[in-house]
Amino acid sequence: MAVSQNENVTWLTQEAYDRLKKEYEELSGPGRIEIAKKIEAAREEGDLRENGGYHAAKDEQGKMEARIFHLRQILDSAKVGEAPRTEGVVGPGMTVTVRFDGDEEEVTFLLASREESGSPIDVYSPNSPLGSAINGKKLGEKATYTLPNGRQNTVEILEAVPYVGN
């Protein structure tokens, strides 16, 4: 049920694919018409330099177009099904348990695209610094990655099993 990216393929469940396709069709059809109407209505109010409604509508249009572009990229590279998985090897679609160096607490998460919302556990992207570092690692192996603040962090792989859903 995981969504993940692997070598330019985005693995999606049928449910996730259908949800993203519906959102894309809504935004790229009726959504574009709606925002164009908002911009036109705000434009008719006069001076655009001091027209808050116009600028808000243009900002909304920019965000919507970025989302449409992102959805199109995902759908263009989508493959419905499950990513190939091997128990004990970290990869997209796996539930992974790690321990951070210097910490006794274990952390468990799903390694998948953020598009797989609604998962009962935290989702870490395979493209994130942590996800990239642990992808392909086996039980007992360690991986070091760079945090956004520039520091290095190391984790040990404790478990990697296929995600089985809710």
Side-chain angles (χ1 to χ4, degrees):
M1 176 158 152
V3 176
S4 58
Q5 293 188 346
N6 185 9
E7 297 180 24
N8 298 327
V9 172
T10 303
W11 292 95
L12 298 171
T13 60
Q14 187 65 53
E15 175 187 31
Y17 180 85
D18 292 345
R19 179 175 43 82
L20 295 175
K21 188 168 177 20
K22 181 179 177 187
E23 181 184 356
Y24 173 80
E25 288 170 352
E26 175 64 29
L27 290 177
S28 62
R32 279 184 171 147
I33 293 168
E34 174 84 16
I35 197 69
K37 287 179 183 176
K38 284 183 184 178
I39 291 170
E40 186 58 34
R43 192 179 276 139
E44 290 173 1
E45 292 174 13
D47 188 355
L48 297 181
R49 288 175 295 173
E50 297 179 16
N51 188 328
Y54 173 80
H55 294 290
K58 289 296 281 183
D59 286 348
E60 185 180 342
Q61 180 186 39
K63 289 175 185 173
M64 186 177 75
E65 289 299 328
R67 179 65 178 160
I68 290 169
F69 179 78
H70 183 76
L71 288 169
R72 184 76 263 151
Q73 285 183 310
I74 292 169
L75 294 169
D76 283 348
S77 66
K79 187 168 182 177
V80 175
E82 295 201 12
R85 301 180 292 197
T86 303
E87 191 157 336
V89 179
V90 176
M94 301 294 280
T95 300
V96 182
T97 302
V98 300
R99 181 182 302 120
F100 293 89
D101 267 7
D103 193 351
E104 290 305 309
E105 187 177 335
E106 297 177 1
V107 177
T108 300
F109 55 89
L110 171 62
L111 188 64
S113 169
R114 297 263 181 222
E115 296 302 330
E116 187 60 50
S117 60
S119 172
I121 62 175
D122 289 337
V123 178
Y124 286 54
S125 170
N127 299 325
S128 69
L130 173 59
S132 297
I134 65 174
N135 199 11
K137 296 289 185 192
K138 296 177 177 70
L139 301 184
E141 290 185 342
K142 292 188 175 193
T144 300
Y145 64 100
T146 304
L147 297 167
N149 65 9
R151 291 175 139 170
Q152 298 282 306
N153 203 3
T154 301
V155 296
E156 178 183 357
I157 309 303
L158 302 176
E159 185 177 48
V161 296
Y163 178 69
V164 290
N166 304 348

